[in-house]
Amino acid sequence: ASPGARVAITYALAQLGKPYLWGGTGPAAFDCSGLTQEAWLRAGVSIGRTTGDQVHAGTSTTPQLLRPGDLILIPGAHGSIAAPGHVGMYLGFGLLIHAPKTGDVVRVTAYGSFVHSGVASLRAIG
């Protein structure tokens, strides 16, 4: 991972177990894009606030070139492939971190289960 990605990942992992809150940008609670935005901000990289913004952040990448810190955007419960509604940050080793939904907490998830309904975009950040 790049030095910036290591900072972003370290910050995101320190948020494990914190509750999901729609519109949450920390420090007590996060939504999915609030977590990724704040993690990258800690690394000195500004990305948009929402999944609609983050789908355009950085540069496009592929599953084969996915690196720790990259964003994975999926339809989620209220989005689509064309307009993703959920985002997570790739950690490496087939794992990612995300803030799933109301009633849940920031957690690490397997890439395969995260993308089971399709991938809207993979974005290389930093």
Side-chain angles (χ1 to χ4, degrees):
S2 71
R6 283 195 294 273
V7 170
I9 288 167
T10 298
Y11 178 82
L13 288 171
Q15 311 317 305
L16 283 171
K18 290 189 177 178
Y20 175 94
L21 175 66
W22 188 82
T25 58
F30 294 89
D31 69 9
C32 63
S33 55
L35 176 65
T36 53
Q37 180 192 40
E38 187 62 25
W40 272 107
L41 188 58
R42 297 298 173 114
V45 178
S46 180
I47 61 174
R49 168 62 192 95
T50 67
T51 55
D53 296 329
Q54 292 179 14
V55 73
H56 304 290
T59 58
S60 182
T61 191
T62 66
Q64 296 80 14
L65 297 176
L66 200 59
R67 298 288 180 256
D70 291 351
L71 302 183
I72 304 161
L73 294 105
I74 62 170
H78 303 290
S80 66
I81 293 293
H86 193 57
V87 62
M89 179 186 296
Y90 190 63
L91 299 173
F93 306 104
L95 300 172
L96 62 95
I97 189 167
H98 69 128
K101 62 185 179 200
T102 300
D104 210 336
V105 297
V106 174
R107 65 178 58 247
V108 172
T109 301
Y111 177 84
S113 65
F114 187 76
V115 301
H116 75 276
S117 63
V119 175
S121 186
L122 300 173
R123 307 301 297 181
I125 308 295

